[in-house]
Amino acid sequence: MPESPFTVSDVMTQTVIAVGRDAPFKEIVELIDQWKVSALPVLEGEGRVVGVVSEADLLAKEEFRDTEEGDPAERTKAGAVTAGELMSTPVVTVHADASLAEAARIMARRHVKRLPVVDAVGILQGVVSRSDLLKVFLRDDEEIAEEIRHVILSQLPVTTGALTVSVAESVVTLGGVLPDRTLVPVVARAVRAVEGVVDIRLDLTHR
C-alpha cells in the first residue's frame, strides 16, 4: 500500500539548543527559559546524545527543598548540580527517516513532549516536538487532494480512475464507483494514512 512521504526530517527543528554533561544547573534553567523549550539534549564527544534534561528533572530541586520524604531516585536529582547528574538516560530518540506516526507513538508511549533526532550512531540531527508533528494539519486542501489523486489512488492495485476527490478543512470526500465492494476499506485506509487528513467521508458505490 502506498505511504504518505512525510518523515520526521520534514518537520523537525534543525537548530537545536543542547548542553554538555558539565553544564551547571542555572545555565540549563536560563537556556530553557530563553529558548522556551521543555527539555535540552545532553551531548558528548562529536555530538552524541547521552541524555535529556527536562523541566521535570530540574523541578526535583524545588519539590524536595523542604522535605526528607519521596522517591530516592528523585531525591538524588534534587541534589544534582550539572546536566550529567540531572539528565534522564537512556534517552528516547527517533531517526530522521521515521514516519510522523511512529514519532507520535513514541511520544505517547514514553510520555515525552520532544524527541532528539539522531543518526545511526546517535549523533544529534535535530529535535521534533508535539507541535512539529501537528504542522501536517496546516497543509493546503488542494495539496492533500493532489497527493490522494496522483500518489495514493494511482498506486493502488486496481483502477480507481472513476473516483472523485474533494477536500475541505482537511476532511476528504471520496465519490465514484469501485469495481468491488471489498476495495472500499482498502481505499479508505490508504487515504486516511495521508498526512494532514482529519477525516474521510465515503460516497462510493461498487459494481
Side-chain angles (χ1 to χ4, degrees), residues 12 23 27 34 59 86 118 128 150 177:
M12 72 181 187
E27 178 185 331
Q34 177 183 352
L59 278 173
L86 287 158
V118 300
V128 64
H150 300 297
V177 180

Side-chain angles (χ1 to χ4, degrees), residues 28 38 45 71 85 94 97 131 137 164 167 176 203 206:
I28 298 167
S38 59
D71 180 81
E85 296 167 340
V94 69
D97 59 357
S131 60
F137 294 105
T164 61
V167 184
D203 185 19
H206 51 83

Side-chain angles (χ1 to χ4, degrees), residues 33-125:
D33 179 65
Q34 177 183 352
W35 294 96
K36 308 303 179 190
V37 295
S38 59
L40 297 175
V42 181
L43 309 181
E44 70 176 11
E46 299 296 317
R48 186 168 61 89
V49 181
V50 293
V52 170
V53 176
S54 69
E55 293 170 326
D57 295 323
L58 296 163
L59 278 173
K61 190 170 291 294
E62 193 64 31
E63 179 183 355
F64 297 106
R65 182 179 297 280
D66 58 0
T67 180
E68 297 297 322
E69 300 177 355
D71 180 81
E74 292 302 315
R75 288 198 56 78
T76 298
K77 285 195 176 184
V81 295
T82 66
E85 296 167 340
L86 287 158
M87 68 184 185
S88 297
T89 187
V91 62
V92 182
T93 62
V94 69
H95 290 160
D97 59 357
S99 69
L100 302 191
E102 182 180 350
R105 286 192 292 269
I106 294 172
M107 287 184 187
R109 291 169 183 169
R110 302 302 294 268
H111 305 290
V112 295
K113 298 177 181 179
R114 293 160 59 85
L115 290 171
V117 182
V118 300
D119 65 13
V121 294
I123 302 299
L124 184 67
Q125 295 184 304

Side-chain angles (χ1 to χ4, degrees), residues 13-24:
T13 300
Q14 293 181 313
T15 303
V16 182
I17 307 304
V19 294
R21 284 181 179 270
D22 296 330

